[in-house]
């Protein structure tokens, strides 16, 4: 057991070097040993994978299972910043992100037609219209304003609600429960209650759509008699959670990063042809969804190490996206960078299904924000911005901004 890795004593996910920098301990481990043995607080031994090439290998190798019912997962519930072990979780119907083939394949195929690149391009005009309407609402406010509340969260929420057929009027309920689900230092009872409330709500929704389907993704799924109500609820939970949490955090944290890099912001504002590359760079640079678990189903050779069958493997997408062996000057935000192969959306069969949708939303969001609010700036010192260090996804709780009246 290496001293460096065993000294981690859990998941070193706090971005202690600054709001946009990777955890210093993960950086040190990646430089010394990209596949490192580690010790969890309960004494359980596992592996931390941080190098770009080996991260991609783990994510693509089906010998590393996603099934939480076969592994011990370490998640923080009651002790701040200190993960603890829980018993293997039973499979949740419909939650295909925590399944392996053939179950994963069967459910994911039900959605591939809804999220093709062609289908997303057809929706782009409507997404831009939603973004512009929300920018209109923002422009009516007297600054300062919270960009999360007034823009970054409403845009993806409106988009995913319209796409899935979820009433936007119910947003406070599902946003509150999804936020509770994503918090790290929440009791297991509270987390179960939040998930139960979401599943109860979604079960009623998909049941009504099966009886009276409309023109939306959940209705399309509900028409499929091969899917049970429990499976429909699980799929709806996954789509709704992923559909607004990640993009909302990227819009807010990405804006924060650009405001803190004014030279990059000016270049992007002056030349918005850079926007597609800038979005890829921001995703690489920020990697808001960082830590993922896999479980070795057999002995696997990885990066010169032997991962024994049954091992818990912790994968850091942020560390991979900041690997200097893959990206030159990786800790520098560069909107001119031609990013290829960043893993913010994962890799392999579990790569994010809605990644093209997220890209369109981010391009529309950043383009509109820069165009409509050329004097946008932070309304508080950068050090006062509340970061989501208490959640399983990175971002900002609030982003107070201001701008000059025309």
């Amino acid at each position: 057991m290496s001293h460096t890795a065993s000294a981690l004593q859990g998941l070193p996910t706090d971005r202690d070097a600054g709001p946009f920098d990777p955890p210093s301990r993960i950086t040190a481990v990646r430089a010394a040993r990209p596949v490192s043995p580690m010790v969890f607080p309960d004494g359980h031994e596992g592996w931390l994978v941080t190098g770009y090439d080996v991260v991609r290998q783990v994510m693509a190798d089906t010998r590393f299972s996603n099934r939480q019912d076969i592994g011990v997962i370490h998640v923080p519930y009651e002790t701040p910043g200190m993960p603890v072990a829980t018993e293997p979780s039973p499979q949740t119907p419909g939650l295909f992100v925590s399944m392996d083939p053939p179950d994963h394949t069967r459910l994911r195929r039900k959605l591939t037609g809804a999220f093709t690149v062609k289908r997303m391009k057809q929706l782009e005009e409507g997404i831009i219209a939603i973004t512009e309407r929300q920018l209109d609402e923002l422009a009516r406010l007297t600054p300062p304003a919270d960009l999360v509340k007034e823009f970054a969260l409403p845009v993806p929420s409106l988009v995913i609600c319209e796409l899935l057929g979820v009433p936007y009027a119910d947003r406070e309920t599902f946003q509150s429960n999804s936020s509770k689900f994503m918090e790290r230092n929440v009791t297991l009872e509270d987390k179960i209650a939040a998930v139960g409330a979401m599943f109860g709500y979604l079960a009623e929704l998909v049941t009504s759509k099966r009886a009276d389907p409309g023109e939306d993704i959940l209705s399309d799924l509900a028409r499929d008699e091969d899917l049970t109500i429990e499976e429909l609820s699980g799929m709806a939970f996954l789509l709704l959670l992923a559909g607004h949490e990640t993009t909302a955090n990227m819009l807010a944290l990405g804006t924060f990063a650009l405001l803190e890099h004014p030279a990059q912001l000016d270049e992007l504002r002056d030349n918005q042809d850079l926007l597609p590359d800038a979005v890829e760079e921001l995703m690489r640079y920020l990697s808001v969804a960082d830590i993922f678990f896999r479980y070795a189903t057999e002995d696997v050779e990885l990066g010169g190490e032997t991962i024994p069958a049954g091992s818990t493997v912790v994968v850091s997408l942020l560390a991979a996206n900041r690997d200097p062996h893959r990206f030159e000057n990786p800790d520098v935000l560069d909107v001119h960078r031609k990013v290829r192969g960043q893993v913010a959306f994962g890799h392999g069969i579990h790569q994010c299904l809605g990644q093209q949708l997220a890209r369109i939303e981010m391009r529309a969001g950043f383009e509109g924000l820069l165009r409509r609010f050329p004097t946008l700036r932070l309304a508080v010192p950068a050090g006062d911005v509340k970061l989501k260090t208490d959640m399983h996804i990175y971002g900002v709780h609030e982003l107070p901004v201001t701008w000059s009246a025309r």
Side-chain angles (χ1 to χ4, degrees):
M1 184 71 59
S2 73
H3 173 73
T4 304
S6 62
L8 293 176
Q9 286 298 298
L11 307 185
T13 57
D14 291 334
R15 306 196 185 199
D16 47 12
F20 312 116
D21 297 323
S24 57
R25 290 181 294 172
I26 276 188
T27 300
V29 168
R30 185 191 59 217
R33 197 172 177 182
V35 181
S36 296
M38 65 179 293
V39 177
F40 290 93
D42 65 336
H44 176 80
E45 295 185 3
W47 294 82
L48 177 64
V49 182
T50 52
Y52 177 85
D53 289 335
V54 283
V55 162
R56 279 173 58 97
Q57 184 178 336
V58 170
M59 302 294 275
D61 192 330
T62 55
R63 292 175 297 177
F64 292 104
S65 173
N66 246 34
R67 286 176 52 188
Q68 294 180 9
D69 61 327
I70 65 171
V72 178
I73 188 168
H74 300 257
V75 292
Y77 287 122
E78 298 181 316
T79 307
M82 188 61 70
V84 296
T86 67
E87 291 301 313
S89 304
Q91 287 283 83
T92 301
L95 211 66
F96 57 87
V97 71
S98 60
M99 296 177 181
D100 296 335
D103 297 324
H104 169 269
T105 309
R106 168 182 163 259
L107 293 176
R108 182 167 170 129
R109 277 180 179 166
K110 306 284 188 184
L111 285 163
T112 50
F115 288 95
T116 61
V117 175
K118 180 180 180 181
R119 169 77 173 135
M120 290 302 104
K121 285 188 177 297
Q122 291 171 344
L123 295 173
E124 188 165 4
E125 186 175 331
I127 292 169
I128 292 172
I130 287 172
T131 304
E132 290 298 319
R133 287 197 297 270
Q134 201 59 41
L135 288 167
D136 290 341
E137 294 294 323
L138 182 61
R140 292 188 186 100
L141 300 176
T142 300
D146 175 14
L147 196 73
V148 174
K149 177 183 177 183
E150 306 297 344
F151 181 70
L153 184 56
V155 167
S157 296
L158 282 161
V159 170
I160 199 65
C161 282
E162 184 171 311
L163 198 61
L164 296 182
V166 175
Y168 186 63
D170 297 339
R171 66 191 180 281
E172 289 188 11
T173 299
F174 72 72
Q175 285 172 358
S176 173
N177 285 317
S178 66
S179 178
K180 187 71 68 177
F181 175 73
M182 296 300 292
E183 286 183 35
R184 294 198 296 179
N185 305 319
V186 174
T187 64
L188 180 57
E189 291 75 16
D190 286 348
K191 199 174 286 277
I192 290 173
V195 173
M198 281 193 73
F199 268 81
Y201 166 76
L202 291 169
E204 288 186 12
L205 182 64
V206 296
T207 299
S208 68
K209 289 183 179 295
R210 174 153 283 179
D212 184 21
E215 297 300 320
D216 54 71
I217 288 177
L218 292 187
S219 291
D220 290 344
L221 290 172
R223 290 185 179 95
D224 190 338
E225 295 294 335
D226 181 47
L227 295 170
T228 66
I229 293 297
E230 290 76 18
E231 287 176 324
L232 287 168
S233 302
M235 295 172 80
F237 173 83
L238 183 61
L239 293 170
L240 188 58
L241 181 72
H244 77 274
E245 276 285 352
T246 50
T247 308
N249 282 286
M250 271 302 306
L251 284 172
L253 190 65
T255 301
F256 183 22
L258 290 171
L259 292 174
E260 284 298 285
H261 294 79
Q264 297 287 298
L265 177 60
D266 289 344
E267 288 194 57
L268 191 55
R269 185 181 286 121
D270 292 343
N271 181 11
Q272 294 206 354
D273 288 343
L274 295 173
L275 199 58
D277 287 332
V279 165
E280 295 298 312
E281 170 68 348
L282 284 165
M283 287 189 292
R284 180 202 69 82
Y285 183 70
L286 299 172
S287 299
V288 296
D290 178 15
I291 294 293
F292 290 83
F293 289 85
R294 294 292 188 269
Y295 308 99
T297 58
E298 59 183 82
D299 291 356
V300 182
E301 294 297 317
L302 182 71
E305 308 282 356
T306 299
I307 310 297
S311 295
T312 302
V313 179
V314 180
V315 177
S316 173
L317 302 187
L318 174 63
N321 275 334
R322 295 291 191 96
D323 190 339
H325 290 102
R326 170 66 186 189
F327 303 102
E328 187 176 355
N329 298 320
D331 295 330
V332 174
L333 176 65
D334 181 4
V335 297
H336 292 275
R337 192 191 301 268
K338 300 292 184 183
V339 179
R340 297 293 181 268
Q342 56 87 8
V343 291
F345 288 119
H347 182 63
I349 64 170
H350 289 284
Q351 192 173 34
C352 177
L353 189 63
Q355 59 181 287
Q356 299 306 331
L357 175 64
R359 285 184 169 101
I360 292 170
E361 290 177 271
M362 282 186 277
R363 288 198 295 264
F366 289 126
E367 187 279 328
L369 201 59
L370 297 181
R371 171 172 44 81
R372 299 280 298 272
F373 296 88
T375 60
L376 191 74
R377 60 191 183 277
L378 289 179
V380 298
D384 291 346
V385 175
K386 292 178 59 179
L387 302 170
K388 288 187 175 179
T389 55
D390 58 338
M391 301 190 75
H392 288 298
I393 190 168
Y394 194 57
V396 294
H397 286 289
E398 299 173 356
L399 190 65
V401 295
T402 189
W403 57 91
S404 302
R406 291 183 178 178

